[in-house]
Amino acid sequence: MKKGIHPENYRMVAFKDMSNGDVFLTRSTAATKETLDVDGVEYPLVKLEISRTSHPFYTGKSKLVDTAGRIDKFKNKYAKFKK
């Protein structure tokens, strides 16, 4: 392997899936300012929107969230009351 091309700051980091609260530990160089206490040990925290425990491909459950469509439907529905 080439010397000097790999990062030196590998450390244990806690990744937290914000959609279901699942936390897993792995080695990473991800920069973060937050920390999380896991089993009495404090780790740097990286927040995720989706992970292997909540992704439809891995869970087999399909969940569609259409927030932009809901807003457009609301505006169209109540546009007739606008003066």
Side-chain angles (χ1 to χ4, degrees):
M1 292 191 332
K2 290 185 180 180
K3 296 185 186 254
I5 63 169
H6 298 287
E8 298 292 330
N9 60 344
Y10 279 109
R11 67 203 187 288
M12 292 300 290
V13 176
F15 287 86
K16 183 174 183 179
D17 185 339
M18 300 309 290
S19 65
N20 63 8
D22 183 51
V23 176
F24 60 95
L25 298 172
T26 189
R27 291 176 48 91
S28 177
T29 60
T32 180
K33 294 179 181 173
E34 298 181 67
T35 60
L36 178 70
D37 187 52
V38 178
D39 297 330
V41 180
E42 196 167 293
Y43 295 102
L45 172 65
V46 176
K47 294 180 180 178
L48 304 172
E49 292 182 21
I50 195 163
S51 71
R52 58 185 162 77
T53 60
S54 62
H55 193 280
F57 179 80
Y58 298 107
T59 62
K61 298 176 184 174
S62 179
K63 183 171 91 171
L64 178 64
V65 178
D66 182 23
T67 55
R70 291 180 189 170
I71 294 169
D72 293 336
K73 286 178 190 176
F74 177 84
K75 287 181 180 179
N76 290 337
K77 182 176 180 180
Y78 292 101
K80 60 185 173 187
F81 296 111
K82 193 175 181 179
K83 291 185 179 182

